[in-house]
Amino acid sequence: MTAVNETHALGLRSWVASANAEHTDFPIQNLPFGVFRRRGSGERFRGGVAIGDQILDLAATVASGVLDGAAREAAIAASREQLNEFMAMGPSAWSALRLALSRILRDGAAERGRVEGCLVGQHAVEHALPAAIGDYTDFYIGIHHATAVGRLFRPDAPLLPNYKWVPIGYHGRSSSVVVSGEPIYRPLGQRKGLAEVPDFGPSERVDYELELGFLVGTGNPRGEGIPIENAESHLFGVALFNDWSARDIQPWEYQPLGPFLSKNFGSTLAPWVVTLEALAPFRSPYRRPAGDADPLPYLDAAENSANGLIDIQLEVLLQTKKMAYSGLGPERLSRSSFVEAAYWTPAQLVAHHTIGGCNLAPGDLLGSGTLSGPAITQAGSLIERTFGGRDPISLPSDEKRTYLEDGDTVVFRAWCERNEARRIGFGECAGTVLAPKRI
Amino acid sequence: MTAVNETHALGLRSWVASANAEHTDFPIQNLPFGVFRRRGSGERFRGGVAIGDQILDLAATVASGVLDGAAREAAIAASREQLNEFMAMGPSAWSALRLALSRILRDGAAERGRVEGCLVGQHAVEHALPAAIGDYTDFYIGIHHATAVGRLFRPDAPLLPNYKWVPIGYHGRSSSVVVSGEPIYRPLGQRKGLAEVPDFGPSERVDYELELGFLVGTGNPRGEGIPIENAESHLFGVALFNDWSARDIQPWEYQPLGPFLSKNFGSTLAPWVVTLEALAPFRSPYRRPAGDADPLPYLDAAENSANGLIDIQLEVLLQTKKMAYSGLGPERLSRSSFVEAAYWTPAQLVAHHTIGGCNLAPGDLLGSGTLSGPAITQAGSLIERTFGGRDPISLPSDEKRTYLEDGDTVVFRAWCERNEARRIGFGECAGTVLAPKRI
């Protein structure tokens, strides 16, 4: 658990003017990490930090000579093509670099003259995944989602008996996790309708899942679980994540071993990872609903309970091709909240994942599962939002949607705001569904 | 599908005398690839090929100057710390190197004098995983296993309705795949008995699963499925694989998203990958049982049907600590056969895995699932072999086993033999269960 420190001060302002705009996602209190290069430049990808509408190029910052000591060492590691080496350095290195960057980017910083040339406009870049994701695990901590979807798949038993004991998770496909903006090709697969024989074709029920992705910083040796008290120190940060799903393929394939082709055609991770340290002012207590038993001891910790969740607001927007042609911007479909959605905390996910001896590695991705609130306007997926496709959404383009059509772009946004703290945001996680490349 | 060529000739003999022994796994007709170094040497790991009781060091072979052209290029790639780069080169490169190695290792080869110094005794080495496994998928193609285990979990519906349509598979944990010989730590986890509340502790039902691992050679771009006609050309080779399982953790956690902690504490891959080319003389037709419908077209191909399976014999052996102390060797628990066990072919697994657009990469591991025959003596796991723990196995040490105890070593072996071909083997896939490192 990271403490609130000088980098969070509400009054801090940056000499990068756009970082002081009221609604920027990236004020100086945020400083999220990502990987970028100038679009079309053929440059190598390298680490950067978002500040206002700019990116601070960490390789250039190291070269400018304004960093020293632990911050410089950390910045060198964060200048690589992916952030894994930096993630592996642990909280003290992350914190040292964040503090140094906060100081050189502040109003009045003596280093301004040397650092100004290290900025690259965000409009001019393309991103790669922030880390090489060795393994990707998807959890299922959204209890309203689990209940709503469970009702569609298993009307008699929407929430299974293990749900409140086991932070349910499963292994996902790493190779098809792509960075925001990459196209998502509609998958082909088997569907089973009422006929005796399954049919085959492009999925007709492509859906999104509104998730947060927790990126592992330091790992653990195989056979040595991470106690819940230390669990958060192994997490580097949080990014928006879309676990695209094919709802017609899923019910036919998922028994008995879980979803496979209904998920592995693609998952989208946002380019910016907001560090747990930046999220320190927005922590929330973890409380299980009245009447629910305490978790087993390996999932229980006083510290975790006091400050286990993070007060993150989430929203889903949709822009169809027709909307874009008509000059209509993305339309909000839902608003949700991590605190309201989550039955388990990030620390519990780390403790559970490793309790059997499974080894995590720097850059591993832990998806939260779909983060729906209890109301229909808080649904984190279309299967929930449209009651299993029965209640279409009307769009300002006079179109209707149950599931996604080719050309539809889904955008997730998220932010934290509290009276005593500067609002910070997560940038966008966006993807457009395209027709299959081959049929 | 690779053709039979001069490397398979029954009469071929090697100047490495041990390769001509009747029961060696590694005659000159095999030439499997792996990664090794002299034990305790601190040398870097590098690619090698097993021949009799020796390993041909590929880096040294390149340096000796006996290779040229495509074979030399392939050998350079195969000299790295892992075989991924070599695997990515595709069948013509694999085949060119295999042919060149066959020629320089043959009786009477002019290169013998220069190559002899490139041999390292197998007794003196340690292995690493043959490839960096980006993603590991486990299938479930053993229909007798699916039926027997299904009966224990779901007595009313042992084989689910999708089984004969969908090659069921799910994503596994890559980080905890280890090479043969690495210890397997007994996992901790939740178990649900008859009490209302689950309990927690070391698994009391640690089991093995007898599998084959298919290693992907060339991959495919995301969004572009691999047609079944080309599927086998994307497979580099086959190695023994043990998907260790905790049978008491699995039933409580696996709904609705599949097994997680019951599997991800460790999986063991053998060090030697037998190429599909080496297996060409042992191919077998794929026939679905009488009365079963044809698979959907994307899983159906005349060529695949004619030669879709591989005639591989498999066995499971167990040696307890007491047996080892008493000088008793490993005791055979089961014998099985890939042809008898498998409901789906390797080509069908590749075609299915990619049909929705999922991208495979060189070094990806596709586990077959447990390969049990129909008889109890052909069971590929203890849960089957002991009828869910109800019928213990008696061992020559006067011990009994239902599930594995600390200190138990499980050894898998496999081989191919046919009258008209030289017998080839897969080496050993071994692991010892140890107590948890932390409780």
Side-chain angles (χ1 to χ4, degrees), chain A residues 65-250:
Chain A
V66 298
L67 299 174
D68 57 17
R72 183 170 181 278
E73 292 309 307
I76 290 171
S79 301
R80 312 265 188 248
E81 295 202 30
Q82 292 178 299
L83 298 175
N84 300 66
E85 184 181 331
F86 174 53
M87 291 168 159
M89 294 175 87
S92 65
W94 312 333
S95 193
L97 178 55
R98 192 166 176 282
L99 179 60
L101 297 179
S102 172
R103 288 176 176 172
I104 65 174
L105 290 167
R106 276 177 211 174
D107 251 357
E111 297 88 348
R112 174 172 178 173
R114 285 188 282 166
V115 175
E116 275 177 327
C118 305
L119 295 174
V120 180
Q122 284 169 26
H123 65 280
V125 311
E126 57 190 351
H127 289 280
L129 283 177
I133 299 167
D135 278 286
Y136 148 48
T137 302
D138 206 28
F139 284 94
Y140 197 54
I141 70 175
I143 189 168
H144 306 294
H145 169 76
T147 306
V149 173
R151 192 172 291 126
L152 296 168
F153 283 58
R154 295 173 302 277
D156 299 338
L159 205 61
L160 294 169
N162 57 10
Y163 190 86
K164 293 183 173 184
W165 295 101
V166 179
I168 297 291
Y170 68 112
H171 300 113
R173 180 80 194 176
S174 299
S175 70
S176 55
V177 178
V178 296
V179 75
S180 179
E182 293 288 320
I184 295 295
Y185 302 99
R186 181 178 298 276
L188 308 177
Q190 295 187 31
R191 294 85 46 104
K192 181 69 166 65
L194 297 173
E196 198 181 332
V197 170
D199 78 340
F200 175 83
S203 170
E204 292 166 0
R205 299 191 181 180
V206 173
D207 198 355
Y208 54 79
E209 291 197 336
L210 173 63
E211 301 199 15
L212 290 172
F214 302 98
L215 284 128
V216 173
T218 50
N220 61 300
R222 191 172 57 91
E224 296 182 21
I226 299 172
I228 191 161
E229 293 78 13
N230 303 339
E232 279 209 355
S233 70
H234 289 262
L235 289 177
F236 173 73
V238 187
L240 279 162
F241 184 62
N242 186 344
D243 178 32
W244 305 90
S245 300
R247 302 297 182 195
D248 42 358
I249 296 173
Q250 190 171 349

Side-chain angles (χ1 to χ4, degrees), chain B residues 85-335:
Chain B
E85 184 182 331
F86 173 53
M87 290 168 159
M89 294 174 86
S92 65
W94 311 334
S95 193
L97 179 55
R98 192 166 175 282
L99 179 60
L101 297 179
S102 173
R103 287 176 176 170
I104 64 175
L105 290 168
R106 276 179 210 172
D107 251 357
E111 297 88 349
R112 174 173 178 173
R114 285 188 283 167
V115 176
E116 274 178 328
C118 306
L119 295 175
V120 180
Q122 283 169 27
H123 65 280
V125 310
E126 57 190 351
H127 289 279
L129 284 176
I133 298 167
D135 277 287
Y136 148 47
T137 301
D138 205 28
F139 284 93
Y140 197 52
I141 69 175
I143 190 168
H144 305 294
H145 170 75
T147 306
V149 173
R151 193 171 289 128
L152 296 168
F153 282 56
R154 295 173 303 276
D156 299 339
L159 204 62
L160 294 168
N162 57 10
Y163 189 86
K164 293 183 174 185
W165 295 102
V166 179
I168 297 293
Y170 69 112
H171 300 113
R173 180 81 194 176
S174 299
S175 71
S176 54
V177 178
V178 296
V179 75
S180 179
E182 293 288 319
I184 296 295
Y185 302 100
R186 180 178 299 275
L188 308 177
Q190 294 188 32
R191 294 82 48 101
K192 182 69 165 62
L194 297 174
E196 198 180 332
V197 170
D199 78 341
F200 174 82
S203 170
E204 293 167 358
R205 298 192 181 180
V206 173
D207 197 355
Y208 54 79
E209 291 198 337
L210 173 64
E211 300 200 13
L212 290 171
F214 302 97
L215 283 128
V216 173
T218 50
N220 61 300
R222 191 172 57 90
E224 297 182 20
I226 299 172
I228 192 162
E229 293 76 14
N230 304 339
E232 279 209 355
S233 70
H234 289 260
L235 289 177
F236 173 73
V238 186
L240 279 162
F241 184 61
N242 186 344
D243 179 33
W244 305 89
S245 300
R247 302 296 182 195
D248 41 359
I249 296 173
Q250 189 170 350
W252 176 232
E253 74 168 4
Y254 92 110
Q255 288 287 13
L257 298 178
F260 186 53
L261 299 189
S262 55
K263 300 282 191 172
N264 69 12
F265 57 97
S267 317
T268 303
L269 186 67
W272 294 115
V273 186
V274 177
T275 62
L276 279 204
E277 185 172 277
L279 294 164
F282 307 100
R283 301 306 299 255
S284 281
Y286 168 63
R287 288 195 198 90
R288 292 165 77 91
D292 285 3
D294 287 339
L296 292 175
Y298 81 95
L299 296 172
D300 204 356
E303 188 189 9
N304 178 56
S305 300
N307 223 353
L309 291 173
I310 312 169
D311 190 4
I312 302 174
Q313 305 301 313
L314 302 143
E315 66 178 10
V316 179
L317 303 101
L318 175 67
Q319 187 183 43
T320 68
K321 204 191 293 187
K322 183 176 173 193
M323 288 165 70
Y325 286 154
S326 315
L328 293 164
E331 172 81 358
R332 189 167 77 198
L333 300 187
S334 306
R335 258 203 64 176

Side-chain angles (χ1 to χ4, degrees), chain A residues 317-401:
Chain A
L317 304 100
L318 174 69
Q319 187 182 41
T320 67
K321 205 191 292 187
K322 184 176 173 191
M323 289 165 71
Y325 285 154
S326 314
L328 293 164
E331 173 79 359
R332 190 168 76 199
L333 301 188
S334 306
R335 257 202 66 175
S336 186
S337 137
F338 181 54
V339 169
E340 206 167 356
Y343 192 80
W344 299 100
T345 69
Q348 286 171 325
L349 303 187
V350 170
H352 182 68
H353 203 315
T354 60
I355 188 66
C358 182
N359 48 322
L360 300 179
D364 283 353
L365 173 64
L366 311 183
S368 61
T370 310
L371 296 171
S372 305
I376 190 71
T377 53
Q378 297 175 304
S381 67
L382 286 170
I383 193 175
E384 295 164 88
R385 187 72 180 72
T386 68
F387 294 101
R390 289 190 293 273
D391 188 5
I393 299 167
S394 294
L395 296 170
S397 49
D398 292 330
E399 295 172 288
K400 288 183 185 297
R401 284 292 182 276

